[in-house]
Amino acid sequence: MDVNAAVAAAAAIAGVLTGVIAMLAFRWSERDLKRPTRTSLHTDPVLPPGVDTVLSVLRSSAVVLDEGDAVVKASSAAYALGLVRGGKLSVEPMLQMARDTRRDGEIRQVELDLPRRGTGRGDALAVSARVAPLGSRLVLLLVEDLTEARRIEAVRRDFVANVSHELKTPVGALSLLSEAVMDASDDPEAVERFAGRMQIEATRLTSLVQELIDLSRVQNDDPLEDAEPVRVDELVAEAMDRCRHAAGTKQITMAAGGTQDLSIWGNRGQLAAALGNLVENAVNYSPARTRVGIAARRVSAPGGDLIEIAVTDQGIGISDKDKERIFERFYRVDPARSRATGGTGLGLAIVKHVAASHGGEVTVWSSEGQGSTFTLRLPEAGAARDRAQQHPDLDDEAGQSAGSNPRTSPDSPPDTTAYETLSAPEVLP
């Protein structure tokens, strides 16, 4: 019995000791879990108060890096630009900038050209990167996309260069011709000949300046501020009157049809300039004793009825490689022929901007040796007025699309049924 009692007492004591040791071990582990460690300090950084809110409203792409170059916070724009991949900053120059700034605390800024990812295009993405310290352990990277700004700047630079070149040509010609007139003062026939050339160059210079003014006006003015219902037949008559002399000189027949009882909602001056440019081009680029047709009709569309005005000629046509560029400023399919006809290369650019700012479009079909058809599609007066009153913000969207490329239809000719019913063609002697 004494032996059994001793064994039981030893077992009890062992159990008590085991329980005490287990309790001490549990408390020790709890204390270790609560104690901050080196690993926890590096893997769980905390943004300063308010920084998260500020980053969410910035237009720039924002990335916050910790001491180990891991991404703590990144905006959606940073992911869209491909700056962050797999929790890491994927652009090595920016990563090196962040490390240098973390080392010395100096703010750095640089402009970089990054390859586009996933677009299949070879052009680069221009960005401006700025790195600054954020507290004692974090680094803030702000990236601004400069691609569109650079594109606009390039367009402006090319525009100024083209304008300078186009102005220099007639001005230089006038200078040379004036010297020739002075040297030939004793020869009346030579003076008359040089004076005629001077008049031609002066007319070309006046036309270029006027088209520059028109292009600037259609780009900067809101056409719907002074919008009104504009009758299509009046626009067509004005365009034909504008080209009456040139068409008569070349014995070109001009015919119009289908324009009755149709109206467009917009700026009368801009619409007249756009249609006038199309008709003038058709006359200038058509051989003698051919025909230019102007037809209009109403077509149904999801957002309301559209008025379609088509100008068709029997001219030289446009090649496929030129169709995508004919609406660019100063672009001319045949520069030599354009100079002979007085073309400046701005007429179709004006047409494109007028169509886009009025919520419409311009398209072209052409075949070399068969002629061309330029088609304006614009909202009808009633539908456009109702749309503008119900959704005034849509007018701004239409204006912003002025830079978009017009559509071309090279594969099939346009619907020419309207030309078969042209009424009372006007034949000019």
Side-chain angles (χ1 to χ4, degrees), residues 56-105:
S56 65
V57 298
L58 287 177
R59 296 183 61 183
S60 304
S61 302
V63 181
V64 179
L65 303 175
D66 65 5
E67 293 175 319
D69 293 334
V71 176
V72 178
K73 176 71 176 179
S75 64
S76 58
Y79 286 99
L81 288 179
L83 303 179
V84 178
R85 292 179 179 276
K88 294 289 185 179
L89 186 63
S90 61
V91 183
E92 184 60 31
M94 296 182 186
L95 187 58
Q96 186 59 46
M97 288 174 57
R99 292 169 179 168
D100 295 340
T101 297
R102 187 185 300 112
R103 184 182 65 252
D104 56 23

Short mmCIF file of all heavy atoms in Angstrom, two decimals, residues 56-105:
data_model
loop_
_atom_site.label_atom_id
_atom_site.label_comp_id
_atom_site.label_asym_id
_atom_site.label_seq_id
_atom_site.Cartn_x
_atom_site.Cartn_y
_atom_site.Cartn_z
N SER A 56 -5.43 58.80 -53.79
CA SER A 56 -6.61 58.35 -54.53
C SER A 56 -7.19 59.43 -55.43
O SER A 56 -7.94 59.13 -56.35
CB SER A 56 -7.68 57.85 -53.55
OG SER A 56 -8.14 58.92 -52.74
N VAL A 57 -6.88 60.71 -55.16
CA VAL A 57 -7.45 61.80 -55.97
C VAL A 57 -6.44 62.40 -56.93
O VAL A 57 -6.79 63.28 -57.72
CB VAL A 57 -8.01 62.91 -55.04
CG1 VAL A 57 -9.12 62.38 -54.18
CG2 VAL A 57 -6.91 63.53 -54.18
N LEU A 58 -5.20 61.94 -56.89
CA LEU A 58 -4.20 62.46 -57.81
C LEU A 58 -4.45 61.96 -59.23
O LEU A 58 -4.83 60.81 -59.44
CB LEU A 58 -2.80 62.03 -57.37
CG LEU A 58 -2.21 62.73 -56.15
CD1 LEU A 58 -0.84 62.13 -55.83
CD2 LEU A 58 -2.07 64.22 -56.37
N ARG A 59 -4.22 62.83 -60.22
CA ARG A 59 -4.34 62.42 -61.62
C ARG A 59 -3.12 61.62 -62.06
O ARG A 59 -3.19 60.82 -62.98
CB ARG A 59 -4.49 63.65 -62.50
CG ARG A 59 -5.75 64.46 -62.24
CD ARG A 59 -5.88 65.61 -63.19
NE ARG A 59 -5.96 65.18 -64.56
CZ ARG A 59 -6.02 66.00 -65.61
NH1 ARG A 59 -5.99 67.30 -65.42
NH2 ARG A 59 -6.09 65.52 -66.83
N SER A 60 -1.98 61.86 -61.40
CA SER A 60 -0.77 61.12 -61.75
C SER A 60 -0.85 59.69 -61.23
O SER A 60 -1.58 59.39 -60.27
CB SER A 60 0.45 61.82 -61.15
OG SER A 60 0.52 63.17 -61.56
N SER A 61 -0.07 58.81 -61.85
CA SER A 61 0.06 57.45 -61.34
C SER A 61 0.97 57.49 -60.11
O SER A 61 2.06 58.06 -60.15
CB SER A 61 0.67 56.55 -62.42
OG SER A 61 -0.12 56.56 -63.59
N ALA A 62 0.51 56.88 -59.02
CA ALA A 62 1.24 56.95 -57.75
C ALA A 62 1.64 55.56 -57.29
O ALA A 62 0.85 54.61 -57.37
CB ALA A 62 0.38 57.63 -56.69
N VAL A 63 2.89 55.44 -56.79
CA VAL A 63 3.41 54.19 -56.25
C VAL A 63 4.19 54.52 -54.98
O VAL A 63 5.04 55.42 -54.99
CB VAL A 63 4.32 53.45 -57.25
CG1 VAL A 63 4.81 52.14 -56.65
CG2 VAL A 63 3.59 53.19 -58.56
N VAL A 64 3.92 53.80 -53.89
CA VAL A 64 4.66 53.95 -52.64
C VAL A 64 5.48 52.68 -52.41
O VAL A 64 4.94 51.57 -52.45
CB VAL A 64 3.71 54.19 -51.45
CG1 VAL A 64 4.51 54.32 -50.15
CG2 VAL A 64 2.88 55.46 -51.68
N LEU A 65 6.80 52.84 -52.20
CA LEU A 65 7.72 51.72 -52.01
C LEU A 65 8.24 51.72 -50.58
O LEU A 65 8.47 52.78 -49.99
CB LEU A 65 8.90 51.82 -52.98
CG LEU A 65 8.55 51.89 -54.48
CD1 LEU A 65 9.83 52.09 -55.29
CD2 LEU A 65 7.82 50.64 -54.93
N ASP A 66 8.47 50.51 -50.04
CA ASP A 66 9.04 50.41 -48.70
C ASP A 66 10.55 50.24 -48.79
O ASP A 66 11.16 50.39 -49.86
CB ASP A 66 8.38 49.26 -47.94
CG ASP A 66 8.68 47.90 -48.56
OD1 ASP A 66 9.48 47.85 -49.52
OD2 ASP A 66 8.10 46.89 -48.10
N GLU A 67 11.17 49.89 -47.63
CA GLU A 67 12.62 49.78 -47.58
C GLU A 67 13.17 48.67 -48.46
O GLU A 67 14.32 48.72 -48.91
CB GLU A 67 13.06 49.54 -46.13
CG GLU A 67 12.79 50.73 -45.23
CD GLU A 67 13.11 50.41 -43.78
OE1 GLU A 67 12.77 49.28 -43.36
OE2 GLU A 67 13.68 51.24 -43.09
N GLY A 68 12.34 47.65 -48.72
CA GLY A 68 12.78 46.53 -49.55
C GLY A 68 12.33 46.64 -50.99
O GLY A 68 12.32 45.63 -51.70
N ASP A 69 11.93 47.83 -51.42
CA ASP A 69 11.46 48.09 -52.80
C ASP A 69 10.15 47.38 -53.12
O ASP A 69 9.79 47.26 -54.30
CB ASP A 69 12.52 47.68 -53.84
CG ASP A 69 13.76 48.55 -53.78
OD1 ASP A 69 13.63 49.71 -53.33
OD2 ASP A 69 14.84 48.08 -54.15
N ALA A 70 9.45 46.90 -52.09
CA ALA A 70 8.14 46.30 -52.33
C ALA A 70 7.09 47.41 -52.42
O ALA A 70 7.21 48.46 -51.79
CB ALA A 70 7.79 45.33 -51.20
N VAL A 71 6.06 47.17 -53.23
CA VAL A 71 5.00 48.16 -53.42
C VAL A 71 4.04 48.10 -52.25
O VAL A 71 3.39 47.07 -52.00
CB VAL A 71 4.26 47.90 -54.74
CG1 VAL A 71 3.10 48.87 -54.89
CG2 VAL A 71 5.21 48.05 -55.93
N VAL A 72 3.95 49.20 -51.51
CA VAL A 72 3.01 49.31 -50.39
C VAL A 72 1.64 49.76 -50.87
O VAL A 72 0.60 49.26 -50.44
CB VAL A 72 3.55 50.28 -49.33
CG1 VAL A 72 2.56 50.45 -48.18
CG2 VAL A 72 4.90 49.81 -48.82
N LYS A 73 1.65 50.72 -51.82
CA LYS A 73 0.40 51.27 -52.34
C LYS A 73 0.64 51.68 -53.78
O LYS A 73 1.68 52.25 -54.11
CB LYS A 73 -0.03 52.50 -51.52
CG LYS A 73 -1.27 53.20 -52.02
CD LYS A 73 -2.52 52.38 -51.79
CE LYS A 73 -3.78 53.15 -52.21
NZ LYS A 73 -5.01 52.36 -52.01
N ALA A 74 -0.31 51.38 -54.67
CA ALA A 74 -0.22 51.77 -56.08
C ALA A 74 -1.61 52.09 -56.59
O ALA A 74 -2.57 51.39 -56.29
CB ALA A 74 0.41 50.66 -56.91
N SER A 75 -1.70 53.17 -57.36
CA SER A 75 -2.99 53.56 -57.93
C SER A 75 -3.32 52.68 -59.13
O SER A 75 -2.45 52.01 -59.70
CB SER A 75 -2.95 55.03 -58.36
OG SER A 75 -2.00 55.22 -59.38
N SER A 76 -4.58 52.70 -59.52
CA SER A 76 -5.00 51.89 -60.67
C SER A 76 -4.32 52.35 -61.96
O SER A 76 -4.04 51.55 -62.85
CB SER A 76 -6.53 51.98 -60.83
OG SER A 76 -6.95 53.33 -60.98
N ALA A 77 -4.04 53.66 -62.04
CA ALA A 77 -3.35 54.17 -63.23
C ALA A 77 -1.95 53.61 -63.35
O ALA A 77 -1.45 53.39 -64.45
CB ALA A 77 -3.30 55.70 -63.20
N ALA A 78 -1.28 53.36 -62.19
CA ALA A 78 0.06 52.78 -62.22
C ALA A 78 0.02 51.36 -62.79
O ALA A 78 0.91 50.96 -63.55
CB ALA A 78 0.65 52.78 -60.82
N TYR A 79 -1.02 50.61 -62.43
CA TYR A 79 -1.16 49.27 -63.00
C TYR A 79 -1.48 49.34 -64.49
O TYR A 79 -1.00 48.53 -65.29
CB TYR A 79 -2.25 48.50 -62.26
CG TYR A 79 -1.85 48.04 -60.88
CD1 TYR A 79 -2.22 48.75 -59.75
CD2 TYR A 79 -1.09 46.89 -60.70
CE1 TYR A 79 -1.85 48.34 -58.47
CE2 TYR A 79 -0.71 46.45 -59.43
CZ TYR A 79 -1.10 47.19 -58.32
OH TYR A 79 -0.72 46.77 -57.07
N ALA A 80 -2.32 50.32 -64.87
CA ALA A 80 -2.70 50.45 -66.28
C ALA A 80 -1.50 50.79 -67.15
O ALA A 80 -1.41 50.33 -68.30
CB ALA A 80 -3.78 51.52 -66.42
N LEU A 81 -0.58 51.59 -66.63
CA LEU A 81 0.62 51.94 -67.40
C LEU A 81 1.66 50.83 -67.39
O LEU A 81 2.67 50.93 -68.09
CB LEU A 81 1.24 53.22 -66.83
CG LEU A 81 0.50 54.53 -67.09
CD1 LEU A 81 1.23 55.70 -66.44
CD2 LEU A 81 0.32 54.78 -68.58
N GLY A 82 1.44 49.79 -66.59
CA GLY A 82 2.40 48.70 -66.52
C GLY A 82 3.60 48.99 -65.64
O GLY A 82 4.64 48.35 -65.77
N LEU A 83 3.45 49.96 -64.70
CA LEU A 83 4.56 50.30 -63.81
C LEU A 83 4.76 49.25 -62.72
O LEU A 83 5.87 49.04 -62.25
CB LEU A 83 4.32 51.67 -63.17
CG LEU A 83 4.10 52.85 -64.13
CD1 LEU A 83 3.86 54.13 -63.34
CD2 LEU A 83 5.30 53.02 -65.06
N VAL A 84 3.67 48.62 -62.28
CA VAL A 84 3.71 47.66 -61.19
C VAL A 84 3.34 46.28 -61.70
O VAL A 84 2.29 46.12 -62.34
CB VAL A 84 2.78 48.09 -60.04
CG1 VAL A 84 2.80 47.05 -58.92
CG2 VAL A 84 3.16 49.46 -59.52
N ARG A 85 4.19 45.31 -61.42
CA ARG A 85 3.92 43.93 -61.82
C ARG A 85 4.40 42.99 -60.71
O ARG A 85 5.57 43.08 -60.29
CB ARG A 85 4.62 43.58 -63.13
CG ARG A 85 4.06 44.33 -64.33
CD ARG A 85 4.81 43.96 -65.60
NE ARG A 85 4.25 44.66 -66.75
CZ ARG A 85 3.21 44.24 -67.45
NH1 ARG A 85 2.61 43.11 -67.12
NH2 ARG A 85 2.76 44.94 -68.47
N GLY A 86 3.51 42.13 -60.23
CA GLY A 86 3.87 41.18 -59.20
C GLY A 86 4.29 41.81 -57.90
O GLY A 86 5.17 41.28 -57.20
N GLY A 87 3.70 42.94 -57.56
CA GLY A 87 4.04 43.62 -56.32
C GLY A 87 5.36 44.35 -56.36
O GLY A 87 5.85 44.80 -55.31
N LYS A 88 5.97 44.51 -57.51
CA LYS A 88 7.25 45.18 -57.66
C LYS A 88 7.16 46.25 -58.73
O LYS A 88 6.36 46.15 -59.67
CB LYS A 88 8.35 44.17 -58.04
CG LYS A 88 8.69 43.15 -56.97
CD LYS A 88 9.44 43.80 -55.80
CE LYS A 88 9.88 42.77 -54.79
NZ LYS A 88 10.64 43.39 -53.66
N LEU A 89 7.98 47.27 -58.59
CA LEU A 89 8.09 48.29 -59.62
C LEU A 89 8.88 47.72 -60.79
O LEU A 89 10.03 47.28 -60.63
CB LEU A 89 8.79 49.53 -59.04
CG LEU A 89 8.86 50.77 -59.94
CD1 LEU A 89 7.46 51.29 -60.26
CD2 LEU A 89 9.69 51.87 -59.27
N SER A 90 8.26 47.72 -61.98
CA SER A 90 8.85 47.00 -63.12
C SER A 90 9.76 47.86 -63.98
O SER A 90 10.37 47.34 -64.91
CB SER A 90 7.72 46.44 -63.99
OG SER A 90 6.91 47.49 -64.50
N VAL A 91 9.87 49.15 -63.71
CA VAL A 91 10.70 50.04 -64.53
C VAL A 91 12.01 50.27 -63.78
O VAL A 91 12.03 50.93 -62.73
CB VAL A 91 9.99 51.37 -64.81
CG1 VAL A 91 10.84 52.25 -65.71
CG2 VAL A 91 8.63 51.11 -65.44
N GLU A 92 13.10 49.74 -64.30
CA GLU A 92 14.38 49.78 -63.60
C GLU A 92 14.88 51.20 -63.35
O GLU A 92 15.38 51.49 -62.25
CB GLU A 92 15.42 48.99 -64.40
CG GLU A 92 16.77 48.88 -63.73
CD GLU A 92 16.69 48.18 -62.37
OE1 GLU A 92 15.82 47.31 -62.21
OE2 GLU A 92 17.51 48.54 -61.49
N PRO A 93 14.83 52.14 -64.32
CA PRO A 93 15.30 53.50 -64.01
C PRO A 93 14.54 54.14 -62.86
O PRO A 93 15.14 54.85 -62.03
CB PRO A 93 15.06 54.25 -65.33
CG PRO A 93 15.07 53.20 -66.38
CD PRO A 93 14.46 52.01 -65.74
N MET A 94 13.24 53.92 -62.77
CA MET A 94 12.46 54.48 -61.67
C MET A 94 12.85 53.80 -60.35
O MET A 94 12.90 54.45 -59.30
CB MET A 94 10.96 54.30 -61.94
CG MET A 94 10.45 55.06 -63.13
SD MET A 94 8.66 54.83 -63.34
CE MET A 94 8.42 55.67 -64.92
N LEU A 95 13.10 52.50 -60.40
CA LEU A 95 13.49 51.79 -59.19
C LEU A 95 14.84 52.30 -58.68
O LEU A 95 15.03 52.47 -57.47
CB LEU A 95 13.58 50.29 -59.50
CG LEU A 95 13.81 49.34 -58.32
CD1 LEU A 95 12.71 49.50 -57.27
CD2 LEU A 95 13.89 47.90 -58.80
N GLN A 96 15.76 52.59 -59.59
CA GLN A 96 17.06 53.12 -59.18
C GLN A 96 16.90 54.52 -58.59
O GLN A 96 17.58 54.88 -57.61
CB GLN A 96 18.00 53.15 -60.38
CG GLN A 96 19.43 53.54 -60.03
CD GLN A 96 20.05 52.60 -59.02
OE1 GLN A 96 19.96 51.38 -59.15
NE2 GLN A 96 20.71 53.16 -58.00
N MET A 97 16.02 55.32 -59.18
CA MET A 97 15.75 56.65 -58.61
C MET A 97 15.21 56.55 -57.19
O MET A 97 15.59 57.32 -56.30
CB MET A 97 14.73 57.39 -59.49
CG MET A 97 15.27 57.88 -60.82
SD MET A 97 13.95 58.58 -61.84
CE MET A 97 13.32 59.86 -60.77
N ALA A 98 14.31 55.59 -56.96
CA ALA A 98 13.74 55.41 -55.63
C ALA A 98 14.83 55.02 -54.62
O ALA A 98 14.85 55.50 -53.49
CB ALA A 98 12.64 54.34 -55.67
N ARG A 99 15.75 54.15 -55.02
CA ARG A 99 16.83 53.75 -54.12
C ARG A 99 17.75 54.92 -53.80
O ARG A 99 18.17 55.10 -52.65
CB ARG A 99 17.61 52.61 -54.76
CG ARG A 99 16.83 51.31 -54.87
CD ARG A 99 17.54 50.31 -55.76
NE ARG A 99 16.79 49.04 -55.84
CZ ARG A 99 17.07 48.07 -56.72
NH1 ARG A 99 18.06 48.24 -57.60
NH2 ARG A 99 16.35 46.97 -56.74
N ASP A 100 18.07 55.74 -54.80
CA ASP A 100 18.92 56.89 -54.56
C ASP A 100 18.25 57.90 -53.63
O ASP A 100 18.90 58.47 -52.75
CB ASP A 100 19.28 57.56 -55.89
CG ASP A 100 20.14 56.66 -56.78
OD1 ASP A 100 20.75 55.72 -56.24
OD2 ASP A 100 20.16 56.90 -58.00
N THR A 101 16.95 58.10 -53.83
CA THR A 101 16.22 59.04 -52.98
C THR A 101 16.12 58.51 -51.55
O THR A 101 16.22 59.27 -50.58
CB THR A 101 14.82 59.30 -53.56
OG1 THR A 101 14.94 59.91 -54.84
CG2 THR A 101 14.00 60.19 -52.65
N ARG A 102 15.94 57.20 -51.39
CA ARG A 102 15.89 56.62 -50.05
C ARG A 102 17.22 56.78 -49.33
O ARG A 102 17.27 56.96 -48.11
CB ARG A 102 15.51 55.14 -50.14
CG ARG A 102 15.27 54.49 -48.78
CD ARG A 102 15.03 52.98 -48.90
NE ARG A 102 13.86 52.69 -49.72
CZ ARG A 102 13.92 52.12 -50.92
NH1 ARG A 102 15.10 51.80 -51.43
NH2 ARG A 102 12.83 51.87 -51.60
N ARG A 103 18.31 56.77 -50.10
CA ARG A 103 19.64 56.86 -49.50
C ARG A 103 19.97 58.28 -49.05
O ARG A 103 20.47 58.48 -47.94
CB ARG A 103 20.69 56.38 -50.50
CG ARG A 103 22.11 56.35 -49.93
CD ARG A 103 23.13 55.92 -50.97
NE ARG A 103 23.23 56.88 -52.06
CZ ARG A 103 22.78 56.66 -53.29
NH1 ARG A 103 22.16 55.52 -53.57
NH2 ARG A 103 22.91 57.57 -54.23
N ASP A 104 19.68 59.29 -49.90
CA ASP A 104 20.10 60.65 -49.56
C ASP A 104 18.95 61.61 -49.30
O ASP A 104 19.17 62.78 -48.95
CB ASP A 104 21.01 61.23 -50.65
CG ASP A 104 20.35 61.19 -52.03
OD1 ASP A 104 19.11 61.15 -52.11
OD2 ASP A 104 21.08 61.20 -53.03
N GLY A 105 17.68 61.17 -49.51
CA GLY A 105 16.53 62.03 -49.24
C GLY A 105 16.31 63.13 -50.26
O GLY A 105 15.49 64.03 -50.03
#
